[in-house]
Amino acid sequence: MLGVLLLSIVQQGQTFPLPPFVREWTHLLDRSMGYMETPTVAGSSVYFTSGGSCVSFDVSAQRVDWTWRPRGEQYARSVAVDEDSVYVLITASGEGPGWIAALDRATGEHKRSVRRSGEDSPMAAQDGVLVAMTEPRTLSGIDTAKMEIIWSTEVFVEKGEEEFKWWALRSPPVISNGQVYINTWEFETLALDLKTGEIFWKVTNSRSQVAVADEAGVVLVSQGGGLVGRQVKSGQVIWRADGDANDYAGVFAGNFVTLGRNIVRALDIRTGSLSWSVDVGDQNMSGGYQFGLVADSTLIIRSMDELVAFSPTGARKWTVPADIGFSFPIWIQGDKFVCTDGERFLGYRTGEYDPIPDSAAGRQELARSMASQYVLLDNAERARLKSMGADAILPLAEAMAENGRLYDKYKGREDEIDNFRFYSLVMDIMGDLAGIFYGEHTDGIMQIAEALPKGNLARDNLLRLLADRGDPAHSTSYFLIQVADIPADELEFGKFSSALTSLANSPEPEAVEFMIGLLQNEAVDSRVRELAYVNLARVGGAAGLKAVLAERFGRRLLAPLEKRMKLSELVEDSERRTAIIDTRKDDDGTLWALITSDAMGSYSDLWIVHRENDKWVQPLFTGLTQVSRRIRNRPDNVEQSYKGYSVSDIVAGLWFDLLVGEKTVSSDRDGDGLTDLMEERLGTDPADPDTDDDGTGDLVDPWPMVKPRTLTNKEAFFAAVFEARYHFDTDVSPAIFTGEKGMEPFEMPGWHGPVIWTDEERRSNRTDKLSGLWEEGVAFLGFEEARDFDDDSPPSGQTITWNEDLSEGTVIISTYYGGLNGTGYFVRAKKFGNRWVVIEMYMQYIS
């Protein structure tokens, strides 16, 4: 995607300036550049699309030279440039045809057009030929003088899948020495003749950028998991090498240079041998804002972690952290250069900023000046603003408020300006404030928030900040007023989250009393009660601890299966976890129903129930499961059969004759209320009504394969965390708890369905029925070490992180239902006497 743009920089023969860098100016675009679009640079002009228009911007003069918009409901989507024209791909709203228009580079005047159809796709122009997609699956060469198609070549293969209709190029065509190289969304690289469209060669499974070394007649492409040097005309493989070029490929000082998975590699153009390589970040990470460019004798690489300038030998000339480094450079002249982030142009020069003032008054004045221009600042300046700490808090809050007002002002007025900019600014400033606000200026932030209308984006976020970090001595009375007169059963967490979070973390007596009242009122939203439950022991003194201990429950037997399945609410509703599929009456007039329920682990499990005294009773698990729509692509998601009939046929009507009265379905050898099929699914013993011999039958035993026993100190810590995490949870489906290595099984109260203790080896091998229901309804529970996301140190190997005297510990408790359906909660527990009690809990990650 960067090929055309990079050539422009190389042609200027400019070496890249040396740091430090100072931002001199910023030009804001009314609307962002086209999605995934790289602006095209020619001389000092930059051409791009923005808000459906084509724009010419002069970077040396810092001004828009002209803007051209197609007529009617048509939109400019991408551009290509040659000596005297700008070519604009135009798409029409709806199903109408599109166009490719030629505009005069100097004036933006429309000259000629040619029709096109199909997906939007990048273009390139050189030697009198514009290369572009003109219809689905077809690449064309267009005579730029006449705007007439001179050749068309089908470059996509029909996949045969209805979902695959994106026949477009992944990046602009690379034109070099009469040849065109393209990379498609079918992950193929093709080489074509620029004048005829003849395909010289094609490479499959090719996912990265192309780089061409014309003098050597070698082109670099990716294939499979490596890099390949091919002869430009024949495509013959000259050499193969390890690595990838997913983020950048170019030519630098006699080498192909690539960036992929945070490794920079330089490969000899003719042999592919490794000249040098440098790690520039975590090799397990990819994606983001990486780029590369060559400027004379300097290679600039931005990885996920750092921005580095390399010499031809691979030595580092200078390095800047990526998070404060500049965005993509598009133009260089002397000690100045211009970058773009898709929403702005930013001009830089070599130089240094004035030092931050020593006095508080001086810092506050500078902070006010910078915060008022926050939209113009680059990441380095925003970091500089944050470095002023408490002196920057109120200026940033005021800037946040102003952008919140602008967000409201331009909401729905898309013809004027893209108001998403203001949303982004509010959230960016919020992130900066969260990094420096720890209670200072609470009153000032409250005043700024209160001056904004209710529902304003900035107001809501400032109140959230106060709830998390505000000084309770100043904020408690403010938040208490907001909720004190609301009926307890109307205190929805989502509506009053800031006020309730603040009060739950406040040690002020009136806040403690208020939260104790909410905890003790079962009519209150469970999320609100949970806030009180996990914080009162920390902030509420003896009264708070007493209230938490009174609420905590110990070992509880499971509710009857009919209640867990909510058979009293059974209806025909595909959105419910337990729902009727079909009903029939037997010869005695008894009504039977085929239903789905996850009570044994899968949303797609089939059960039968019958009607007695106007109630659905005696649920029987059939042992059959429908093919799941949730995991349709998993190899083991195949349709079962029973007595020679498919599950689909059984559901369609055969279920009544095959399942009602069937002994296999109703058999309960040990008479414990769990049928043999249920026990097979759970892993309990179908011949023993009390598998773990603890005196509690398997049907109602919360941990049917674990005996209750006296817990060690560490186990008691885990049990307190487990209970608090699931105290207000309502899930009654089976769960699998994976114990840490060497841990002896023990019961923990909290989960409202049966929990099966397992270990990592058994779970990974899926040797039990429940473990095979990943993504189907079974919950997978476990503990892990509490670590910050930016902590690069190796894991300690200890699940619990203790304080010095072992009176407090932290841990993450995770709950997963599938690969992208899980959470991890940070939990802190403290020992009060001989009891562990949770004093803090919040979601640390969600998947």
Side-chain angles (χ1 to χ4, degrees):
M1 195 163 77
L2 309 178
V4 175
L5 192 150
L6 298 186
L7 287 174
S8 174
I9 292 177
V10 173
Q11 289 166 359
Q12 292 180 30
Q14 293 287 339
T15 189
F16 205 86
L18 295 175
F21 305 119
V22 172
R23 181 188 62 85
E24 282 193 303
W25 57 269
T26 299
H27 177 86
L28 291 173
L29 304 179
D30 287 343
R31 294 178 173 276
S32 300
M33 292 180 187
Y35 177 63
M36 293 185 68
E37 180 179 351
T38 301
T40 302
V41 182
S44 65
S45 294
V46 185
Y47 303 94
F48 57 94
T49 66
S50 171
S53 299
C54 179
V55 181
S56 171
F57 181 81
D58 188 324
V59 292
S60 60
Q62 305 163 35
R63 68 165 187 262
V64 173
D65 282 339
W66 53 259
T67 298
W68 179 84
R69 183 171 183 97
R71 290 177 295 180
E73 294 296 312
Q74 299 184 18
Y75 305 91
R77 296 302 190 199
S78 64
V79 300
V81 176
D82 64 11
E83 288 76 12
D84 59 3
S85 298
V86 179
Y87 305 96
V88 187
L89 183 142
I90 302 164
T91 188
S93 62
E95 299 296 324
W99 302 85
I100 299 174
L103 311 179
D104 184 272
R105 257 185 59 181
T107 65
E109 179 184 355
H110 178 268
K111 298 194 292 186
R112 294 171 296 277
S113 296
V114 64
R115 293 182 72 131
R116 58 163 288 271
S117 63
E119 298 283 350
D120 299 341
S121 193
M123 308 178 295
Q126 193 171 304
D127 299 333
V129 180
L130 172 67
V131 180
M133 300 289 296
T134 54
E135 59 184 272
R137 301 196 302 275
T138 302
L139 186 73
S140 295
I142 300 169
D143 183 320
T144 56
K146 301 177 181 178
M147 288 305 286
E148 295 178 353
I149 296 174
I150 54 178
W151 56 260
S152 292
T153 302
E154 189 170 288
V155 294
F156 283 80
V157 177
E158 180 84 48
K159 287 290 186 183
E161 299 177 13
E162 286 299 318
E163 298 165 0
F164 190 91
K165 293 295 182 186
W166 196 2
W167 293 307
L169 306 184
R170 297 179 70 227
S171 54
V174 174
I175 303 175
S176 182
N177 201 24
Q179 206 150 303
V180 182
Y181 305 92
I182 62 170
N183 191 261
T184 75
W185 280 108
E186 288 184 342
F187 303 110
E188 293 181 338
T189 297
L190 293 83
L192 302 89
D193 186 278
L194 178 63
K195 298 297 183 182
T196 68
E198 176 189 357
I199 297 176
F200 292 134
W201 48 267
K202 177 168 65 175
V203 177
T204 60
N205 195 16
S206 181
R207 295 172 178 263
S208 64
Q209 301 179 44
V210 172
V212 186
D214 275 328
E215 291 184 5
V218 182
V219 58
L220 173 75
V221 299
S222 70
Q223 188 168 22
L227 299 168
V228 182
R230 292 178 178 269
Q231 201 278 331
V232 292
K233 199 75 170 180
S234 67
Q236 177 183 352
V237 174
I238 302 172
W239 50 260
R240 297 182 183 274
D242 294 333
D244 67 54
N246 288 340
D247 299 313
Y248 172 68
V251 178
F252 178 55
N255 293 299
F256 286 120
V257 285
T258 66
L259 173 64
R261 291 200 172 274
N262 288 321
I263 301 177
V264 184
R265 290 182 173 89
L267 305 173
D268 184 274
I269 288 172
R270 290 178 170 79
T271 68
S273 60
L274 184 66
S275 299
W276 52 268
S277 70
V278 179
D279 294 352
V280 286
D282 184 349
Q283 295 173 30
N284 294 314
M285 303 291 288
S286 189
Y289 297 97
Q290 296 90 278
F291 62 74
L293 66 88
V294 172
D296 195 31
S297 61
T298 303
L299 168 68
I300 305 292
I301 292 289
R302 177 173 176 164
S303 72
M304 294 186 71
D305 296 330
E306 53 187 359
L307 182 70
V308 187
F310 291 100
S311 74
T313 62
R316 290 175 181 249
K317 290 184 172 183
W318 47 263
T319 301
V320 177
D323 59 351
I324 64 169
F326 46 75
S327 49
F328 190 73
I330 59 172
W331 184 82
I332 306 168
Q333 188 175 71
D335 68 344
K336 298 186 178 184
F337 62 99
V338 176
C339 298
T340 183
D341 59 9
E343 297 180 346
R344 308 175 295 176
F345 292 109
L346 300 98
Y348 292 88
R349 63 171 173 82
T350 296
E352 294 189 63
Y353 293 106
D354 293 334
I356 292 174
D358 292 329
S359 69
R363 287 192 299 272
Q364 290 164 10
E365 182 179 354
L366 177 59
R368 277 193 297 273
S369 173
M370 294 181 70
S372 67
Q373 303 179 68
Y374 190 89
V375 67
L376 306 179
L377 307 182
D378 68 4
N379 288 346
E381 290 174 287
R382 292 177 183 180
R384 175 176 159 90
L385 178 56
K386 278 179 63 179
S387 73
M388 293 182 230
D391 293 315
I393 289 173
L394 292 182
L396 280 169
E398 289 164 355
M400 188 170 165
E402 177 58 25
N403 283 287
R405 293 187 187 96
L406 291 170
Y407 178 69
D408 283 349
K409 176 180 178 180
Y410 288 102
K411 194 181 298 182
R413 293 161 60 177
E414 297 180 359
D415 57 323
E416 295 184 50
I417 197 168
D418 183 1
N419 79 320
F420 183 75
R421 171 196 297 166
F422 305 115
Y423 174 90
S424 299
L425 288 167
V426 167
M427 301 314 293
D428 287 349
I429 298 171
M430 175 68 172
D432 288 348
L433 276 172
I436 60 176
F437 174 65
Y438 295 97
E440 310 94 329
H441 303 301
T442 293
D443 289 333
I445 292 181
M446 281 194 296
Q447 291 172 11
I448 293 170
E450 274 297 289
L452 295 167
K454 289 184 177 181
N456 179 273
L457 177 69
R459 183 182 193 274
D460 290 346
N461 279 279
L462 286 171
L463 292 179
R464 189 171 296 118
L465 186 68
L466 288 172
D468 290 337
R469 304 276 186 83
D471 181 352
H474 294 262
S475 63
T476 295
S477 58
Y478 169 79
F479 283 117
L480 197 56
I481 290 171
Q482 296 185 26
V483 295
D485 295 329
I486 307 296
D489 60 352
E490 295 180 14
L491 278 173
E492 301 173 25
F493 176 77
K495 190 174 182 180
F496 300 100
S497 59
S498 293
L500 293 167
T501 299
S502 176
L503 296 173
N505 286 283
S506 173
E508 298 299 308
E510 60 269 33
V512 172
E513 182 181 359
F514 181 76
M515 294 307 295
I516 289 175
L518 296 181
L519 177 61
Q520 294 173 342
N521 188 341
E522 293 187 2
V524 172
D525 184 342
S526 62
R527 291 172 297 175
V528 175
R529 297 180 69 211
E530 184 178 72
L531 261 181
Y533 190 54
V534 300
N535 289 292
L536 274 172
R538 172 171 51 87
V539 300
L545 176 61
K546 181 180 178 181
V548 170
L549 292 175
E551 172 65 23
R552 187 156 77 175
F553 60 76
R555 186 176 193 260
R556 288 186 176 183
L557 301 186
L558 300 180
L561 198 53
E562 287 90 346
K563 187 173 182 179
R564 278 184 262 159
M565 295 173 69
K566 297 184 178 180
L567 293 187
S568 62
E569 304 173 14
L570 194 57
V571 293
E572 293 186 37
D573 185 348
S574 60
E575 298 300 317
R576 286 178 177 253
R577 297 172 71 164
T578 302
I580 295 174
I581 297 176
D582 192 18
T583 58
R584 295 281 185 87
K585 281 187 178 181
D586 63 18
D587 294 339
D588 297 329
T590 300
L591 184 64
W592 291 81
L594 178 70
I595 69 173
T596 56
S597 174
D598 64 342
M600 282 296 127
S602 173
Y603 300 108
S604 304
D605 283 341
L606 297 174
W607 296 65
I608 55 175
V609 294
H610 69 275
R611 197 85 168 158
E612 280 185 12
N613 300 321
D614 294 327
K615 294 181 180 179
W616 293 108
V617 297
Q618 294 184 349
L620 296 173
F621 175 45
T622 68
L624 302 176
T625 304
Q626 297 181 93
V627 172
S628 174
R629 290 172 297 174
R630 297 167 182 265
I631 54 171
R632 59 171 60 94
N633 296 320
R634 204 167 74 185
D636 58 356
N637 185 33
V638 295
E639 187 164 42
Q640 290 175 275
S641 62
Y642 181 68
K643 292 187 176 183
Y645 298 100
S646 70
V647 168
S648 297
D649 289 336
I650 292 170
V651 170
L654 296 177
W655 68 272
F656 184 76
D657 294 326
L658 289 175
L659 302 176
V660 173
E662 172 63 29
K663 289 183 179 180
T664 304
V665 173
S666 60
S667 175
D668 180 8
R669 282 181 286 161
D670 57 13
D672 61 358
L674 288 174
T675 65
D676 296 347
L677 289 173
M678 296 178 196
E679 301 222 40
E680 180 185 3
R681 173 63 70 80
L682 291 176
T684 52
D685 187 346
D688 186 346
D690 183 7
T691 299
D692 57 8
D693 298 322
D694 63 356
T696 303
D698 291 342
L699 178 64
V700 294
D701 194 334
W703 295 74
M705 300 171 72
V706 177
K707 286 185 178 182
R709 60 175 174 80
T710 302
L711 304 184
T712 66
N713 184 60
K714 180 179 179 181
E715 291 168 347
F717 170 89
F718 281 133
V721 169
F722 192 92
E723 192 276 339
R725 171 64 182 89
Y726 302 115
H727 183 94
F728 294 99
D729 198 280
T730 58
D731 199 343
V732 295
S733 64
I736 293 176
F737 175 79
T738 304
E740 63 181 16
K741 187 175 182 180
M743 182 183 287
E744 290 296 322
F746 60 94
E747 283 197 3
M748 295 177 282
W751 192 259
H752 296 264
V755 185
I756 306 302
W757 186 293
T758 188
D759 53 51
E760 193 61 48
E761 181 178 359
R762 186 182 181 203
R763 175 183 163 186
S764 62
N765 291 334
R766 291 186 174 171
T767 56
D768 57 88
K769 297 285 187 180
L770 279 181
S771 290
L773 297 176
W774 176 253
E775 296 184 301
E776 272 294 86
V778 169
F780 292 79
L781 319 176
F783 295 110
E784 59 189 81
E785 182 183 359
R787 294 166 58 84
D788 294 331
F789 287 113
D790 56 358
D791 185 354
D792 295 327
S793 63
S796 68
Q798 300 296 317
T799 306
I800 304 172
T801 303
W802 301 106
N803 68 348
E804 188 172 342
D805 64 0
L806 305 182
S807 63
E808 286 189 20
T810 60
V811 74
I812 297 288
I813 182 168
S814 63
T815 311
Y816 274 88
Y817 294 88
L820 291 176
N821 185 9
T823 57
Y825 274 69
F826 172 91
V827 186
R828 184 186 307 277
K830 181 177 180 179
K831 200 167 188 181
F832 294 86
N834 61 354
R835 285 180 157 179
W836 283 102
V837 181
V838 169
I839 60 173
E840 183 181 14
M841 183 171 76
Y842 57 85
M843 186 190 296
Q844 180 155 317
Y845 64 79
I846 185 169
S847 169

